[in-house]
Amino acid sequence: MGRRAVLLAGATGLAALATGCSTVEDLKPSSGNGSDETDATLGMINKLRTDRGLPQLARDPAAANAAMDQAARMAKAGKMEHNIGLGANFLKRMKGMEVALPAAENIAEGQETAERAFDAWYNSPKHLTNMLGSSYRGLGVAMVTNPASGNRPYWSMVLSS
């Protein structure tokens, strides 16, 4: 799977272990480094969906929490991956955070604004497919930085049913 790999809730999911990480809790960043970017992204994705004849999405608190959790995991680890930490596969994370399934996750790294992250996802066929999923009704988007990893922005978008 490449950097643009997309895991859907119905997939088997791949378990990955991050070297040196003993628990999921160890991957939480210190407070103040994350921002909920759902509202900044919602208009862009809803315009895209409306232009394609799809229903608009609404802010989903569970999806927003899951997006923040994933962006925090990536920022803390200093790498962009869907599965970071013990027992952190996509389906387990979504179920554990009570995200309505099926769900999808888009991740990105390095974009300074929500608009640039959205553009990166839009220009990636697999990520665009997720954003246009007809079964999705909810959205959560987050960006987290970590001084220990150079304050590089890590993004996560979670789409929920």
Side-chain angles (χ1 to χ4, degrees):
M1 298 208 165
R3 290 179 60 85
R4 297 190 176 225
V6 178
L7 298 176
L8 298 176
T12 58
L14 301 174
L17 301 177
T19 303
C21 295
S22 60
T23 68
V24 172
E25 280 304 306
D26 289 344
L27 295 171
K28 299 288 184 187
S30 57
S31 62
N33 296 332
S35 60
D36 183 327
E37 298 290 331
T38 306
D39 293 338
T41 310
L42 198 55
M44 292 180 277
I45 196 166
N46 279 338
K47 180 179 181 341
L48 171 67
R49 290 175 64 86
T50 298
D51 289 349
R52 306 278 176 106
L54 295 166
Q56 292 193 352
L57 302 178
R59 167 183 274 282
D60 176 356
N65 287 339
M68 184 65 73
D69 179 71
Q70 178 60 16
R73 288 169 185 271
M74 293 187 300
K76 183 70 175 183
K79 60 184 173 180
M80 184 181 79
E81 289 183 15
H82 287 279
N83 297 317
I84 297 175
L86 294 174
N89 77 53
F90 177 75
L91 186 56
K92 283 183 182 179
R93 285 191 291 110
M94 294 303 108
K95 285 181 176 180
M97 301 206 72
E98 300 181 357
V99 173
L101 300 175
E105 177 178 77
N106 289 347
I107 58 175
E109 172 185 11
Q111 295 79 9
E112 295 294 328
T113 65
E115 183 176 67
R116 288 187 176 167
F118 176 85
D119 287 344
W121 290 321
Y122 177 83
N123 289 309
S124 164
K126 290 181 180 181
H127 293 108
L128 179 60
T129 296
N130 281 348
M131 293 191 299
L132 296 174
S134 61
S135 66
Y136 302 130
R137 299 293 178 261
L139 179 71
V141 179
M143 184 275 294
V144 175
T145 62
N146 182 353
S149 61
N151 283 320
R152 187 162 179 78
Y154 289 88
W155 293 84
S156 178
M157 169 189 284
V158 174
L159 300 122
S160 62
S161 295

